[in-house]
Amino acid sequence: MRLSKFHLATVKEVPADAEIVSHRLMLRAGMIRKLAAGLYTWAPLGLRVLRKVEAIVREEMNRAGAVELLMPAVQPRELWEETERWERFGGQLLKIKDRKDAEYCFGPTHEEVITDFARAELHSYKQLPLNFFQIQTKFRDEIRPRFGVMRAREFLMKDAYSFHLSADCLEREYWNMYETYSRIFTRLGLKFRAVQADAGAIGGNVTHEFHVLADSGEDAIAFSDGSEYAANVEMAEAVAPLQERPVATAPLERVATPTQKTIDEITAFLAVSSQACVKTLLVRGCTGLVALCVRGDHEINEVKAAKLAELPGESVLADEAEIIKAIGCKPGFIGPAGLPESIPVIVDRSAAALADFVCGGNADGTHYRGANWDRDARITRVADLRKVVDGDPSPDGKGHIRLARGIEVGHVFQLGTKYAEALKATVIDQSGKNHVMTMGCYGIGVSRIVAAAIEQNFDASGIVWPEPMAPWRVALCVINPKNDAAVTAAAESLYAELGVRGVDVVLDDRGLRPGGMFADMELIGIPHRVVISERGIAAGTFEYRARRDSESRQLSRDEVLALF
Ligand code: ATP
Ligand code: MG
């Protein structure tokens, strides 16, 4: 490609709403341009990167045995009624009408369409297993589209759906996809982790998300520094302390804490550490209030709490009036000692291992010192209730938990029979009976990967692409081409030779000043730069510099060619 014939449009200024570095750099490099909220044009430069990601994803999906197809973006309402998702999918579903007033949505995902396809196409167990995939534009009316293509409304997704006779067979394909995703992100040159995730509302059981690690990531993940263990922070198990609970030594003593309510105020006032305190929250249970207790230095994990049998599937704090009515004191003074019998006390594993602790006195302006489980306070049940913290032992027993931020770029999911049942997608099994198919689904955010890669790979001058994603691998920068025929001839000859060798090369023949040309190539992140100048040609050399290097080197033509 000759840059003089391309549309490269780098800019200096970006709008203030471009909050994160990838959004700013994609705009500055001229990779994307905004049309409206969450809607972007992929300019020629951006599209080159997007296509490279797409090609790697497609190649690895094919290699893994999945079969490509392409489904319509526009999907009829009736199909979404069959799975009851027309209403349930909520505000993200963009609904549209045709000229006859028939209703459609712009597909945010394709479980309905693929299952409709499968019920028509698949009749016999002999056709299974099958994994269909497509790379296609989705629309989700996100509440807060932001960060450019990272959370857009229209975006490119690779989605795959597999069909099986049995859960065992699904499980095999699931791990095949897990391995395939690991290969894809490794090939793209990204630092990533496969993370155990919450199956949430989609139903089904086993699911992993693939996260690119970056400080700007929206998700918090916990991983072990001594093993492959990684989980969403909401999911990560907080294991029980190794030491047994010490025996009670202190007497229970009520102390005045007139205005001290928070853990910080209490620890300062009573000169104790937060690890020696128990924090108690009252939430609304299925049949009345429920007390949740964690150690003073820990936080309740609401996702874990919501799963407790005593709670109605969500964790909602009781308000002040409810608490005063039930206990007779304000929220800051609640503790497990002496709570009414009707309130179950669910205690986190770490809090349950405490003895002689400080907790609320269940009367305004008081706390207890020297409180002890069993002797002074009831435990209805010990459970994993808290958020993991940096340094916790890893749940697999190997290493310690570290916390990091991640960007979700992929998701694999064992769906089970939910969609096949709703749409009656059956095949005839070995014994001639109708058998509902079992399904898996596997998504990759192709366009999000482009932004996520930049979050991980940039410096003060711009993007530093991993080679497999770069718009071009090599840039040939020609200094003053119009002034010197020998310079032009050398550049053209090197350009032609690299082209013959199949190297993805761009010739910067725009005739810009060196400073502007170099700044552009650094901003758009080309991994290798070769400068062809009058001085170099006179000395028989080219100036070479890798994007990650701090110094240039003088190389002969053969040495340059040997690099690629
Ligand atoms: P998120 O939690 O980020 O909203 P999701 O759970 O809704 O993601 P999936 O339905 O699993 O995502 O979609 C598969 C992949 O599509 C995601 O892993 C993500 O990489 C990508 N993706 C989802 N929503 C968007 C979006 N609004 N913009 C760009 N990519 C997206
Ligand atoms: Mg989403």
Side-chain angles (χ1 to χ4, degrees):
M1 177 67 66
R2 290 166 193 277
L3 269 192
S4 61
K5 303 229 160 33
F6 190 74
H7 176 72
L8 183 68
T10 57
V11 291
K12 292 229 159 53
E13 303 296 326
V14 293
D17 70 352
E19 295 167 59
I20 60 170
V21 74
S22 60
H23 190 190
R24 285 198 295 273
L25 287 174
M26 288 181 82
L27 289 169
R28 280 186 54 206
M31 292 178 65
I32 53 168
R33 293 289 180 241
K34 181 171 170 177
L35 175 66
L39 301 177
Y40 289 87
T41 294
W42 285 85
L45 184 75
L47 189 64
R48 289 187 69 87
V49 178
L50 188 68
R51 291 286 183 245
K52 291 204 172 178
V53 176
E54 198 182 320
I56 289 175
V57 171
R58 177 175 283 116
E59 205 177 293
E60 292 298 337
M61 288 301 290
N62 282 325
R63 184 182 302 188
V67 187
E68 187 167 4
L69 48 50
L70 186 59
M71 293 177 269
V74 175
Q75 311 179 8
R77 170 177 176 158
E78 293 71 36
L79 197 52
W80 282 70
E81 294 286 8
E82 285 188 60
T83 57
E84 293 175 7
R85 287 214 295 181
W86 182 255
E87 295 304 332
R88 209 175 282 167
F89 204 87
Q92 287 205 1
L93 195 64
L94 177 68
K95 297 174 176 174
I96 43 189
K97 278 186 185 168
D98 70 9
R99 65 175 80 201
K100 293 181 192 141
D101 267 354
E103 289 186 282
Y104 298 84
C105 65
F106 195 108
T109 179
H110 278 70
E111 281 85 7
E112 279 79 3
V113 180
I114 195 72
T115 311
D116 177 65
F117 179 77
R119 71 178 163 186
E121 296 287 318
L122 306 178
H123 312 289
S124 159
Y125 71 95
K126 291 182 188 153
Q127 293 168 285
L128 301 183
L130 264 172
N131 189 351
F132 295 112
F133 81 99
Q134 65 173 347
I135 298 178
Q136 195 229 25
T137 299
K138 303 280 188 256
F139 190 96
R140 294 183 184 177
D141 202 353
E142 299 276 356
I143 299 178
R144 250 192 101 196
R146 58 189 179 144
F147 305 153
V149 297
M150 189 82 89
R151 184 166 296 286
R153 295 200 295 168
E154 194 180 292
F155 59 96
L156 193 64
M157 194 199 288
K158 186 286 297 172
D159 45 332
Y161 308 87
S162 65
F163 294 87
H164 311 267
L165 205 59
S166 69
D168 280 355
C169 183
L170 164 62
E171 176 116 6
R172 277 194 296 280
E173 183 60 11
Y174 180 83
W175 292 109
N176 178 32
M177 283 294 107
Y178 182 102
E179 296 300 331
T180 303
Y181 278 29
S182 300
R183 262 200 308 279
I184 289 171
F185 298 120
T186 303
R187 262 189 76 182
L188 288 168
L190 299 173
K191 289 191 277 297
F192 69 97
R193 278 272 183 161
V195 167
Q196 290 172 17
D198 185 11
I202 318 181
N205 19 49
V206 183
T207 173
H208 284 84
E209 292 166 359
F210 286 76
H211 285 259
V212 161
L213 303 179
D215 293 339
S216 61
E218 285 185 311
D219 297 291
I221 63 180
F223 65 94
S224 167
D225 59 11
S227 73
E228 286 296 299
Y229 176 84
N232 234 313
V233 160
E234 282 91 48
M235 283 285 291
E237 183 183 353
V239 295
L242 286 177
Q243 285 93 352
E244 298 240 323
R245 182 196 305 161
V247 290
T249 56
L252 184 67
E253 176 194 0
R254 193 184 281 276
V255 289
T257 51
T259 55
Q260 291 73 23
K261 294 181 184 170
T262 66
I263 287 290
D264 283 351
E265 288 163 351
I266 288 294
T267 53
F269 188 69
L270 298 179
V272 291
S273 78
S274 55
Q275 283 103 312
C277 299
V278 166
K279 194 157 61 177
T280 307
L281 296 180
L282 288 178
V283 296
R284 294 182 185 149
C286 302
T287 57
L289 296 184
V290 174
L292 306 179
C293 297
V294 293
R295 224 167 63 182
D297 57 325
H298 290 149
E299 298 292 333
I300 296 265
N301 177 326
E302 287 175 11
V303 174
K304 290 178 183 174
K307 288 181 184 155
L308 293 170
E310 291 83 354
L311 265 58
E314 55 174 356
S315 164
V316 181
L317 285 178
D319 64 26
E320 189 165 316
E322 284 170 278
I323 293 173
I324 291 173
K325 185 161 169 255
I327 319 287
C329 72
K330 295 215 175 87
F333 301 103
I334 306 162
L339 276 181
E341 286 290 324
S342 60
I343 298 182
V345 181
I346 305 182
V347 183
D348 181 66
R349 292 161 170 174
S350 298
L354 291 181
D356 299 339
F357 54 84
V358 169
C359 63
N362 295 322
D364 283 343
T366 71
H367 275 75
Y368 283 121
R369 258 188 210 281
N372 280 280
W373 298 114
D374 303 336
R375 190 191 73 185
D376 313 314
R378 241 175 339 109
I379 295 187
T380 310
R381 198 150 66 81
V382 174
D384 174 18
L385 273 189
R386 68 174 175 93
K387 291 182 185 158
V388 288
V389 294
D390 197 81
D392 274 343
S394 177
D396 65 358
K398 294 180 219 146
H400 289 88
I401 291 288
R402 301 287 164 231
L403 300 180
R405 312 256 355 139
I407 300 167
E408 184 195 320
V409 288
H411 197 173
V412 292
F413 209 97
Q414 298 190 15
L415 281 175
T417 54
K418 180 180 161 157
Y419 291 95
E421 234 157 59
L423 293 174
K424 301 191 180 59
T426 60
V427 291
I428 303 289
D429 67 14
Q430 289 96 325
S431 56
K433 290 206 189 74
N434 272 333
H435 188 108
V436 176
M437 289 184 279
T438 294
M439 292 171 61
C441 72
Y442 320 92
I444 288 187
V446 177
S447 46
R448 182 180 284 182
I449 286 175
V450 177
I454 298 174
E455 290 297 326
Q456 221 176 52
N457 298 280
F458 67 93
D459 64 13
S461 309
I463 304 166
V464 187
W465 288 115
E467 287 212 17
M469 296 178 65
W472 296 281
R473 246 183 110 197
V474 191
L476 303 183
C477 295
V478 198
I479 312 278
N480 293 328
K482 293 223 174 65
N483 297 356
D484 191 328
V487 167
T488 306
E492 288 290 343
S493 142
L494 187 58
Y495 177 60
E497 181 64 34
L498 286 169
V500 166
R501 293 174 184 227
V503 179
D504 191 13
V505 55
V506 64
L507 180 69
D508 193 346
D509 55 349
R510 294 174 298 169
L512 295 191
R513 289 170 176 280
M517 187 157 44
F518 299 164
D520 273 357
M521 293 306 111
E522 282 173 14
L523 174 60
I524 72 173
I526 308 303
H528 305 277
R529 183 182 82 193
V530 179
V531 180
I532 302 114
S533 67
E534 203 178 328
R535 191 144 41 102
I537 297 303
T541 59
F542 298 86
E543 185 191 291
Y544 166 79
R545 183 158 164 189
R547 179 66 178 81
R548 291 182 194 272
D549 290 351
S550 51
E551 300 287 326
S552 307
R553 288 185 278 155
Q554 300 298 327
L555 299 181
S556 69
R557 188 175 189 275
D558 285 345
E559 284 169 330
V560 169
L561 290 172
L563 287 175
F564 306 110

